[in-house]
Each structure stands twice: as C-alpha cells, then as structure tokens.
Amino acid sequence: AWTGADVVKAFNCTGFETLANPHFGDQAVEMFMAGGSPEARNLVRGLALDLGFSECLDLGDDTKVPMLESFAMLWINLAFFQGQGRDFAFKVLKRH
C-alpha cells in the first residue's frame, strides 16, 4: 500500500518523443500536472523544466486529475485514430 504517498499526474498528455525533446523549432511546449501535494507539484515542475518544457502548468489538486486523463485521451485519439502520428504536442498561446 502507498499510504501517505504524494502523487502527481503529469507527463501523460504527449508521446515519448516530446518527453525526449519538447522543442518544436524555436518553441518549447508546456507540460501539465495535477496532484494533492504542493511540494510534490513543485518537484514535478522542476523535473519538467529540467527536461526542457517551457512551463509546467499546475491544474490544481487531485480533483483535477480526470482532466489530465481526458487530455491524454485527446492526444491518443489524435495520434492514433485521427492519423496525426506521435510527433506533436499541445502549446498554450497567450496574447500579450
């Protein structure tokens, strides 16, 4: 049993190709995460940044994990069932 473990859901909404290299041309993509422990989320944020992601967007506590599961299913649907292939990722664009 994992009693007392801090769990953060992350790294599931893209393929291993993007985990190995999150840069698409001159832009890096974001990672997304959710989990109950702020300390654990800070650790995951650091890991994502160390891997080269531009940002690790914190969706919130454990109640937000199902959103990430749905996001992963969207990626899987596009990659395999809609013929996009594995070499793509999601990017959040902001107007300044």
Side-chain angles (χ1 to χ4, degrees):
W2 289 89
T3 304
D6 292 329
V7 177
V8 176
K9 184 75 163 182
F11 304 110
N12 73 319
C13 56
T14 194
F16 71 86
E17 297 87 352
T18 301
L19 294 175
N21 180 9
H23 295 270
F24 288 74
D26 63 350
Q27 293 189 60
V29 295
E30 291 84 5
M31 182 47 61
F32 305 87
M33 69 174 166
S37 165
E39 295 82 11
R41 290 196 314 265
N42 282 333
L43 177 64
V44 169
R45 177 179 289 107
L47 292 171
L49 296 176
D50 286 349
L51 286 171
F53 287 89
S54 64
E55 199 175 341
C56 189
L57 298 172
D58 188 346
L59 302 181
D61 65 16
D62 291 335
T63 64
K64 306 302 184 200
V65 167
M67 283 195 300
L68 280 175
E69 286 298 313
S70 294
F71 203 25
M73 293 307 296
L74 173 63
W75 187 90
I76 291 166
N77 185 294
L78 289 169
F80 299 110
F81 301 111
Q82 304 304 317
Q84 295 295 314
R86 299 179 52 88
D87 204 17
F88 76 95
F90 299 109
K91 175 79 179 154
V92 175
L93 301 175
K94 300 173 187 174
R95 293 191 194 274
H96 295 284

